[in-house]
């Protein structure tokens, strides 16, 4: 009982401190060790032999995606390409479709590989101006950006190069385009329900006489259009990431026999995971090509800013990967505690017609909520149960691609609780508080939790992948 109390206390304190703005890099190990001590484990051995190795392993596997993704995002930002795309969409759709224009701007940038944080920074100035012009309450901007950047293009739409879609490749030997039908249907469900909800909230607010409001915090200035690149030209780096990754994953690497040398020294790769590793390589190459093209498309604006983009991206990636790595270390300490074993046993015994999909969806959601991180929670869940899920799937004839897609989509559910880093950053960017704007973000969170569960039911009836 004391061990369970320790787990709940550690989690509660971590959520509270993150909510208050304290770094999880510092407090994740503190509260993980508190839970460990209350469970009867030794203090320093838990830190050096459990917390740090799991943090380090996460950084080892996923740092290239954080690094390349952050540099790509900064290159798109510094070149003016991200702002150019957002501006063109907003201008094309106009104020009557203000919410849709912001959602589509975020979706296109996110699906093209720009990091979620950079998307929020790039789109917010245009969102604020078009919401002000349309007299839509500013408090709806965070949820609108979240729908476009934190939901279907982050983990549901097949091919998205965001890290939440790349993590399952390692465990299930799949690629970014796993379960395309399931992913597309899920994307349409989230996009459709999210738009209906936001438009309903807009109409309700305007019917009550509520407009944009008077705000002093974080009111943006418009970007000088003369410095922006051509919108069509700006899409080339985004398209290149998707196309290069697709070609390598589907047409090149499947015909490249690397097993003979990859399993030998000094590489000693896991033979069973070689396909997933090659798919990771494909994404790395795709992002590298995107970075080069982002530097080239607007040479006038990039002159003197190449080093700035690389340095800012690299520094930003370190903070992001260490934040998530610390949450993974915290989660793995919790996972090792005796009190967690009963929880894990209950999660693994959730079944739906013998399929592991329901157990996977619930487990990933729960751990994403525990860590406040989609990628961190999913990594812990698949590290702990990925092999079991794959074995159960093979036993009932279930495609590993469905395991990939359901895991990815479930990671983007309970992760957006109030202590989530992306939520806190988004509110800071827009000058809003949790009290003002989190209610609508939470509504989207509920939609994201429900959607994978609905898809599991549909796949069991219609057997699509």
């Amino acid at each position: 009982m004391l061990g369970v109390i320790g787990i709940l206390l550690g989690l509660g304190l971590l959520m509270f401190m993150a909510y208050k703005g304290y770094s999880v890099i510092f407090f994740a190990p503190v509260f993980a060790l508190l839970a460990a001590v209350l469970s009867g484990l030794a203090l320093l051995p838990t830190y050096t032999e459990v917390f740090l190795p799991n943090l380090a392993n996460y950084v080892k596997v996923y740092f290239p995606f954080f690094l390349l993704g952050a540099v790509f995002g900064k290159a798109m930002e510094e070149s003016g390409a991200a702002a150019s795309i957002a501006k063109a969409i907003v201008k094309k759709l106009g104020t009557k479709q203000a919410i849709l224009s912001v959602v589509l701007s975020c979706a296109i940038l996110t699906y093209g590989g720009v990091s979620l944080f950079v998307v929020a920074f790039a789109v917010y100035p245009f969102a604020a101006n078009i919401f002000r012009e349309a007299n839509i309450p500013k408090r709806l901007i965070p949820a609108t950006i979240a729908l476009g950047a934190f939901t279907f293009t982050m983990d549901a739409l097949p091919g998205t190069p965001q890290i939440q879609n790349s993590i399952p490749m390692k465990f299930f030997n799949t690629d970014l385009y796993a379960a395309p039908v399931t992913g597309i249907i899920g994307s349409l469900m989230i996009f459709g329900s999210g738009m209906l909800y936001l438009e309903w909230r807009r109409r309700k607010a305007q019917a009550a006489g509520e407009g944009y409001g008077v705000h002093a915090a974080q009111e943006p200035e418009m970007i000088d259009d003369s410095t922006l690149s051509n919108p069509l030209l700006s899409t080339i780096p985004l398209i290149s990431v998707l196309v290069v990754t697709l070609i390598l994953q589907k047409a090149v690497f499947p015909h490249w026999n690397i097993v003979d040398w990859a399993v030998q020294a000094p590489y000693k790769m896991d033979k069973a995971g070689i396909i997933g590793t090659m798919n990771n390589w494909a994404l790395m190459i795709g992002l590298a090509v995107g970075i080069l093209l982002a530097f080239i498309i607007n040479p006038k604006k990039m002159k003197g800013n190449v080093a700035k983009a690389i340095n800012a991206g690299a520094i930003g990636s370190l903070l992001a990967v260490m934040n998530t790595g610390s949450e993974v270390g915290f989660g793995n300490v919790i996972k090792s505690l005796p009190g967690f074993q009963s929880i894990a046993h209950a999660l693994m015994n959730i079944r739906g017609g013998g399929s592991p999909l329901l157990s996977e969806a619930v487990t990933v959601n729960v751990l994403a909520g525990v860590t406040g991180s989609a990628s961190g929670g999913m990594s812990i869940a698949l590290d702990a149960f990925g092999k079991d899920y794959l074995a159960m799937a093979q036993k009932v004839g279930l495609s590993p691609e469905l395991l990939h897609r359901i895991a990815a989509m479930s990671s983007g559910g309970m992760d957006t609780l109030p202590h989530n880093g992306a939520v806190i950053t988004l509110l800071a960017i827009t000058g809003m508080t949790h009290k003002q704007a989190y209610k609508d973000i939470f509504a989207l969170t509920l939609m994201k939790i429900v959607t994978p569960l609905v898809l599991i039911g549909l796949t069991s009836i219609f057997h699509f992948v």
Side-chain angles (χ1 to χ4, degrees), residues 276-454:
T277 301
M278 288 195 296
N279 288 332
N280 286 341
W281 293 345
L283 178 55
M284 293 178 199
I285 295 170
L287 287 169
V289 171
I291 291 169
L292 291 174
L293 291 174
F295 285 153
I296 293 170
I297 60 172
N298 195 353
K300 184 178 179 180
K301 189 169 176 59
M302 284 306 301
K303 186 177 181 180
N305 288 324
V306 173
K308 178 182 177 182
I310 293 175
N311 293 345
I315 293 171
S317 70
L318 287 174
L319 180 60
V321 77
M322 286 302 296
N323 271 327
T324 308
S326 294
E327 291 168 339
V328 169
F330 171 86
N332 274 281
V333 170
I334 298 299
K335 186 183 75 174
S336 70
L337 302 181
F340 184 77
Q341 302 312 310
S342 58
I343 300 173
H345 181 74
L347 292 172
M348 280 298 294
N349 281 299
I350 298 173
R351 292 287 192 276
S355 168
L357 291 178
L358 187 59
S359 172
E360 181 186 51
V362 174
T363 303
V364 172
N365 253 304
V366 168
L367 291 175
V370 167
T371 60
S373 166
S375 58
M378 177 166 50
S379 295
I380 294 171
L382 296 186
D383 273 330
F385 308 123
K387 291 182 179 179
D388 296 321
Y389 290 143
L390 190 58
M392 286 189 286
Q394 292 170 343
K395 187 175 180 179
V396 298
L398 185 73
S399 170
E401 292 194 354
L402 280 174
L403 289 173
H404 175 130
R405 187 56 53 208
I406 294 299
M409 292 186 66
S410 299
S411 75
M414 287 179 64
D415 69 312
T416 45
L417 292 177
H419 64 297
N420 174 260
V423 170
I424 294 171
T425 302
L426 176 59
L427 293 174
I429 291 170
T430 57
M432 294 280 100
T433 64
H434 279 80
K435 184 177 179 180
Q436 291 171 313
Y438 182 73
K439 175 182 177 181
D440 298 304
I441 296 175
F442 183 68
L444 299 179
T445 297
L446 295 177
M447 296 175 196
K448 280 285 286 152
I449 293 171
V450 170
T451 299
L453 302 179
V454 174

Side-chain angles (χ1 to χ4, degrees), residues 37 71 88 102-103 108 114-115 175 179 183 238 258 267 308 424 427:
V37 169
V71 173
V102 173
V103 171
I108 290 172
V114 180
S115 74
D175 58 38
L238 303 181
I258 68 166
Y267 312 110
K308 178 182 177 182
I424 294 171
L427 293 174

Side-chain angles (χ1 to χ4, degrees), residues 37-48:
V37 169
L38 291 176
S39 296
L41 273 66
L43 187 68
L44 292 178
T46 300
Y47 180 63
T48 60

